[in-house]
Amino acid sequence: QVQPVESGGGLVQAGGSLRLSCAASGRTFSGYGMGWFRQAPGKEREFVARITWMGITTYYTDSVKGRFTISRDNAKNTVYLQMNSLRPEDTAVYYCARKITGAGLNPSDYDYWGQGTQVTVSS
């Protein structure tokens, strides 16, 4: 399987936490940066976080800084998104994807998208 597979979404109260996982094949994952995006109903897909291949550099959109943490386990071909202090505005379908070009802030910088996992934060 080439496309990543996300998991870990669910329904949580505001202030709660979730950890998303993104599992990919070695061919998809190895040597590439990875990113997380999200898309709320009626809105465009937006960048959330990205991480380089060795996990040394990470980058976050301002609205999640200090609350979300992206990490990866290259031995398991898996990327994670730890989400703390969740807010209702974090409600969206979350996607992971492989970064292939650019600064990694736009969906066009990525290929091999997963099917997404729903995160719903109740107030």
Side-chain angles (χ1 to χ4, degrees), residues 51-103:
I51 188 167
T52 52
W53 159 237
M54 293 304 296
I56 295 174
T57 303
T58 58
Y59 189 80
Y60 301 90
T61 193
D62 285 347
S63 63
V64 308
K65 285 179 181 177
R67 300 189 298 123
F68 290 12
T69 303
I70 188 171
S71 62
R72 66 191 296 163
D73 183 338
N74 289 345
K76 296 181 178 179
N77 295 332
T78 302
V79 179
Y80 303 99
L81 187 67
Q82 177 67 43
M83 307 187 295
N84 299 328
S85 302
L86 282 162
R87 305 168 179 168
E89 54 264 40
D90 295 318
T91 295
V93 177
Y94 283 71
Y95 301 88
C96 70
R98 183 179 75 170
K99 179 180 175 295
I100 56 172
T101 190

Side-chain angles (χ1 to χ4, degrees), residues 23-47:
S25 70
R27 186 175 66 173
T28 301
F29 193 84
S30 181
Y32 288 91
M34 297 292 290
W36 285 96
F37 282 72
R38 64 187 180 186
Q39 188 166 18
K43 295 187 176 181
E44 293 186 351
R45 192 166 298 191
E46 67 168 350
F47 170 78

